[in-house]
Amino acid sequence: APRSEMTDEEENLCFPTNYILSHQDHMKMALKVAPIWFISNYFYNLSLAYTTITSSTVLSSTGSVFTFIFSLTCGDEKFTCWKLLGVSLAFLGSIITSFHDASKSQSDE
């Protein structure tokens, strides 16, 4: 049901607003995420020495596609045709940009 049609009890179950994270909770989450974030940024910056900025950005942008696929397999995300269309368009855009970048680098040689 749309949010406007929900009762207060249903809305509180779906959209909890009374849960506040403590500083300790924030630190625990940060300690789990920060190493992965630093490693991914290190390798992204390292990739700039071996490829063009365009190619590196395209590859970085495809991360959302893999996140979506992972969340589908874990059951956290529900599959819809609109989401498939969005993921397909994002991936198609990455492919088109890659081909354009490859053809440009071949003509520069």
Side-chain angles (χ1 to χ4, degrees):
R3 192 171 181 176
S4 60
E5 296 176 8
M6 291 183 180
T7 65
D8 288 339
E9 186 177 324
E10 289 174 328
E11 189 169 339
N12 286 336
L13 288 173
C14 294
F15 307 101
T17 56
N18 57 354
Y19 185 73
I20 299 173
L21 295 174
S22 67
H23 291 293
Q24 187 175 8
D25 292 333
H26 279 107
M27 291 304 293
K28 285 179 184 177
M29 289 180 192
L31 287 172
K32 291 176 185 175
V33 172
I36 297 168
W37 186 79
F38 281 114
I39 290 169
S40 68
N41 276 307
Y42 171 76
F43 283 113
Y44 174 76
N45 287 320
L46 186 64
S47 75
L48 294 175
Y50 299 102
T51 188
T52 64
I53 293 173
T54 305
S55 294
S56 186
T57 302
V58 166
L59 291 172
S60 175
S61 298
T62 59
S64 60
V65 173
F66 296 109
T67 302
F68 176 68
I69 292 169
F70 180 74
S71 66
L72 281 176
T73 59
C74 292
D76 292 337
E77 192 73 42
K78 292 188 179 182
F79 179 83
T80 66
C81 291
W82 288 110
K83 290 177 185 176
L84 177 64
L85 178 65
V87 168
S88 300
L89 288 173
F91 205 69
L92 180 65
S94 299
I95 291 170
I96 291 169
T97 306
S98 296
F99 281 134
H100 176 64
D101 188 42
S103 66
K104 185 177 175 185
S105 66
Q106 287 177 358
S107 66
D108 290 344
E109 293 175 359

